[in-house]
Amino acid sequence: MTRLLFDYGHGGTDPGAMYKGRKEADDVLSIGKAVAAEVRRHGVALDETRTSNKTVSLRERSNMENRKKYDYFISFHRNAFQPEKAKGAETFLFTTGGALAKQLAERIQKELVAVGFTNRGVKRANFHVLRETKAPAILIEIGFIDNTADNQLFDKKRKQIVEGIARAILAQVGVTYKAAASKPTSSSTGTLYRVMAGSFADKANAEKQVTRLKKAGFEAVIMPK
């Protein structure tokens, strides 16, 4: 059975990168948990290094991964450089990361670029959570938090980002992504309300009103009082 470990960077006393009141720790926790929900909806087992705004050290994160046998370790982050000077998404694997990590990184990077992020590519790095974990590991940088355009993309295309990352992960573990069924809109009480469009003493006039309503695209029937 496939089991994944999602790691949401920073948290608690470590807010990560910040820009105009926005915190990386909050962004990655929110979007990471949304991706987790999509993946779980498809029956894939998944653990998380944190599920709230709490402090978790790098060592605690890698130790958690080492305690179980995971198929993949995926760390969520947002980038930062100098305000408004850099933009785009990039995905990292360890300097000696293998074919599986590289394949997953490429799948996710492709989805992020499809949403509209500038393609900064798949790269290799000596990050602790990539180096000290046993499973194929990747680290995603979902745009620059100090770039207004990337933040707008992160917010406006949130649903597409979540679905894209989930689709890439599921494809990597051999599961076909299925969109969630849309829920019909109804009132909270379940009550339906009728709208009257006139009362007529002459049936011919009532029939004319029905014809006008139907031409306008409304359902209409004559109901004697």
Side-chain angles (χ1 to χ4, degrees):
M1 177 179 173
T2 299
R3 180 173 291 276
L4 310 174
L5 179 58
F6 277 15
D7 172 49
Y8 313 133
H10 311 285
T13 58
D14 174 16
M18 296 187 293
Y19 188 55
K20 295 183 177 180
R22 188 169 192 143
K23 299 178 181 179
E24 179 185 4
D26 295 337
D27 277 3
V28 298
L29 177 64
S30 173
I31 204 160
K33 288 176 70 176
V35 175
E38 278 292 277
V39 172
R40 287 186 175 120
R41 183 170 65 81
H42 289 78
V44 176
L46 187 152
D47 294 330
E48 297 153 290
T49 56
R50 67 181 179 99
T51 56
S52 62
N53 185 31
K54 63 179 289 188
T55 304
V56 185
S57 71
L58 292 175
R59 177 56 62 189
E60 287 174 310
R61 295 168 195 265
S62 57
N63 283 348
M64 181 175 178
E65 193 278 339
N66 288 323
R67 281 195 290 270
K68 289 185 180 180
K69 181 174 176 55
Y70 290 102
D71 293 276
Y72 291 94
F73 174 91
I74 301 167
S75 189
F76 292 75
H77 286 261
R78 297 205 64 204
N79 228 328
F81 179 57
Q82 295 176 0
E84 311 299 342
K85 297 294 184 183
K87 63 180 181 179
E90 54 192 1
T91 307
F92 290 89
L93 63 152
F94 186 49
T95 53
T96 57
L100 290 177
K102 186 172 186 292
Q103 187 178 55
L104 176 57
E106 289 173 344
R107 287 184 190 274
I108 290 177
Q109 183 67 19
K110 182 179 179 180
E111 292 287 351
L112 292 175
V113 172
V115 168
F117 285 108
T118 296
N119 188 4
R120 296 177 63 89
V122 171
K123 302 178 180 179
R124 294 179 180 271
N126 188 27
F127 298 144
H128 175 96
V129 293
L130 301 180
R131 182 183 65 248
E132 301 298 327
T133 46
K134 296 183 295 185
I138 65 166
L139 185 148
I140 315 166
E141 295 279 11
I142 312 172
F144 280 72
I145 201 168
D146 55 2
N147 182 282
T148 300
D150 272 9
N151 285 335
Q152 290 174 343
L153 194 60
F154 187 92
D155 295 335
K156 292 180 180 178
K157 295 292 185 72
R158 174 187 167 87
K159 184 174 185 290
Q160 293 93 319
I161 293 169
V162 168
E163 291 177 352
I165 295 174
R167 185 164 46 243
I169 293 169
L170 291 167
Q172 184 68 21
V173 299
V175 177
T176 301
Y177 179 83
K178 295 180 181 178
S182 58
K183 297 181 179 179
T185 302
S186 63
S187 68
S188 58
T189 62
T191 304
L192 298 177
Y193 300 91
R194 296 183 184 276
V195 178
M196 301 294 293
S199 296
F200 304 88
D202 188 331
K203 185 177 180 181
N205 291 333
E207 290 171 342
K208 288 179 182 179
Q209 178 73 324
V210 167
T211 299
R212 283 194 293 268
L213 290 169
K214 287 185 175 180
K215 284 183 178 179
F218 298 100
E219 289 293 330
V221 293
I222 296 174
M223 299 181 67
K225 294 185 67 175

mmCIF file of all heavy atoms in Angstrom, residues 147 180 185 216:
data_model
loop_
_atom_site.group_PDB
_atom_site.id
_atom_site.type_symbol
_atom_site.label_atom_id
_atom_site.label_comp_id
_atom_site.label_asym_id
_atom_site.label_seq_id
_atom_site.Cartn_x
_atom_site.Cartn_y
_atom_site.Cartn_z
ATOM 1 N N ASN A 147 6.818 38.259 -4.532
ATOM 2 C CA ASN A 147 6.469 38.710 -5.875
ATOM 3 C C ASN A 147 4.948 38.812 -5.974
ATOM 4 O O ASN A 147 4.246 37.811 -5.790
ATOM 5 C CB ASN A 147 7.013 37.742 -6.929
ATOM 6 C CG ASN A 147 6.724 38.195 -8.338
ATOM 7 O OD1 ASN A 147 5.612 38.043 -8.828
ATOM 8 N ND2 ASN A 147 7.724 38.752 -9.004
ATOM 9 N N ALA A 180 -13.593 15.756 -8.280
ATOM 10 C CA ALA A 180 -14.661 15.569 -7.308
ATOM 11 C C ALA A 180 -16.004 15.894 -7.941
ATOM 12 O O ALA A 180 -16.116 16.821 -8.750
ATOM 13 C CB ALA A 180 -14.424 16.457 -6.088
ATOM 14 N N THR A 185 -26.661 22.802 -5.934
ATOM 15 C CA THR A 185 -26.924 23.941 -5.070
ATOM 16 C C THR A 185 -28.340 23.858 -4.529
ATOM 17 O O THR A 185 -29.293 23.651 -5.270
ATOM 18 C CB THR A 185 -26.759 25.260 -5.853
ATOM 19 O OG1 THR A 185 -25.437 25.297 -6.385
ATOM 20 C CG2 THR A 185 -26.985 26.466 -4.959
ATOM 21 N N ALA A 216 -38.256 33.225 -22.723
ATOM 22 C CA ALA A 216 -37.199 33.896 -21.965
ATOM 23 C C ALA A 216 -36.293 32.907 -21.227
ATOM 24 O O ALA A 216 -35.340 33.301 -20.566
ATOM 25 C CB ALA A 216 -37.821 34.859 -20.956
#
